[in-house]
Amino acid sequence: MITTSPVARWTWNSTAVTGDETADCVGAALSVLYVLGANRLSGPVRRISVEVGRYGAPRSPLHSGVFELHGNALEENARRIVEEVHAATPRGPVGTVVTRMDCPGRWYDADGTEHREARLFGCGVLATDTFVAVDLVTYGDCWLPHDLTGRPQPEVHTANAPRLAAALDGLAALLHDRTEPDAPTRYGVPTPTGVGNLLGPDGTPDDVWSRYAGAASAAYC
């Protein structure tokens, strides 16, 4: 199933690399895309939103815009977008820079057939002149041992969960911080290596799909 609110969320915190909040923020976001793509999880992302916050006045940003990604050259995209943001941002003390992307994704069913989703992941980055905070969310249940109705899906889990685990490890290495699972959501329990099912009172995977069907947008076959 694909949900409209996250199935799981993970976070990382690292030290700023350049001291340029925009460069560190955009660079970290596109690095996440590289890791997802390297593990055959994400398809091409076309746009990234960037907001440059005014120091001391976060509700009055210096600049906010959406920028296009061209091709697959992430370093070139990062350099160009940073230049565009700098050119569009009026002078003033910068507080935080925030980026957000919705990421299309790929998953495999029990027969090994590849499926593509318009939004399987979401990524957000917040940067200051001293640190960078990254969060990654997923909207799919193909990583879970049981789907959101509580039905076992061993073939789907085997085809998809190891790629997610490898990506989480890759992001931890890239960002020099251990993967921190967020709190359980209404759909799943994040772990450092993936997602576990929510359990009912009898200890079996719960049918959370029926409970929250109004918040879900589509279903796997």
Side-chain angles (χ1 to χ4, degrees):
M1 290 78 175
I2 298 296
T3 61
T4 55
S5 61
V7 171
R9 179 176 180 267
W10 304 269
T11 62
W12 299 265
N13 292 285
S14 61
T15 303
V17 176
T18 68
D20 180 331
E21 297 90 339
T22 301
D24 284 337
C25 194
V26 173
L30 297 194
S31 295
V32 171
L33 286 188
Y34 171 79
V35 173
L36 293 178
N39 287 279
R40 297 177 293 116
L41 292 172
S42 178
V45 173
R46 301 304 181 193
R47 297 174 182 85
I48 179 173
S49 67
V50 182
E51 180 175 287
V52 181
R54 189 187 306 271
Y55 184 81
R59 296 187 179 182
S60 179
L62 291 168
H63 178 69
S64 179
V66 177
F67 299 85
E68 299 289 329
L69 296 172
H70 302 149
N72 297 315
L74 296 180
E75 289 187 6
E76 292 180 12
N77 273 294
R79 183 164 49 251
R80 175 181 53 80
I81 291 170
V82 170
E83 290 175 355
E84 291 178 2
V85 173
H86 283 163
T89 301
R91 290 184 177 274
V94 174
T96 61
V97 177
V98 177
T99 64
R100 175 61 63 181
M101 299 179 296
D102 286 330
C103 307
R106 298 182 285 182
W107 65 277
Y108 296 87
D109 65 20
D111 297 323
T113 302
E114 181 184 281
H115 298 263
R116 294 175 182 263
E117 302 293 342
R119 188 179 70 156
L120 189 56
F121 294 98
C123 173
V125 181
L126 182 149
T128 72
D129 60 350
T130 58
F131 75 90
V132 178
V134 176
D135 76 79
L136 179 72
V137 300
T138 183
Y139 299 94
D141 73 344
C142 56
W143 333 106
L144 280 70
H146 295 70
D147 69 18
L148 296 182
T149 69
R151 295 177 300 185
Q153 52 176 8
E155 295 88 357
V156 172
H157 180 259
T158 298
N160 296 287
R163 294 181 299 118
L164 177 61
L168 295 176
D169 283 346
L171 289 171
L174 180 73
L175 298 168
H176 305 290
D177 186 40
R178 67 180 183 179
T179 300
E180 189 68 36
D182 205 7
T185 69
R186 63 175 63 179
Y187 297 115
V189 182
T191 72
T193 58
V195 197
N197 288 94
L198 290 170
L199 303 181
D202 61 355
T204 61
D206 204 2
D207 179 5
V208 293
W209 180 259
S210 296
R211 185 180 308 159
Y212 299 114
S217 59
Y220 297 143
C221 296

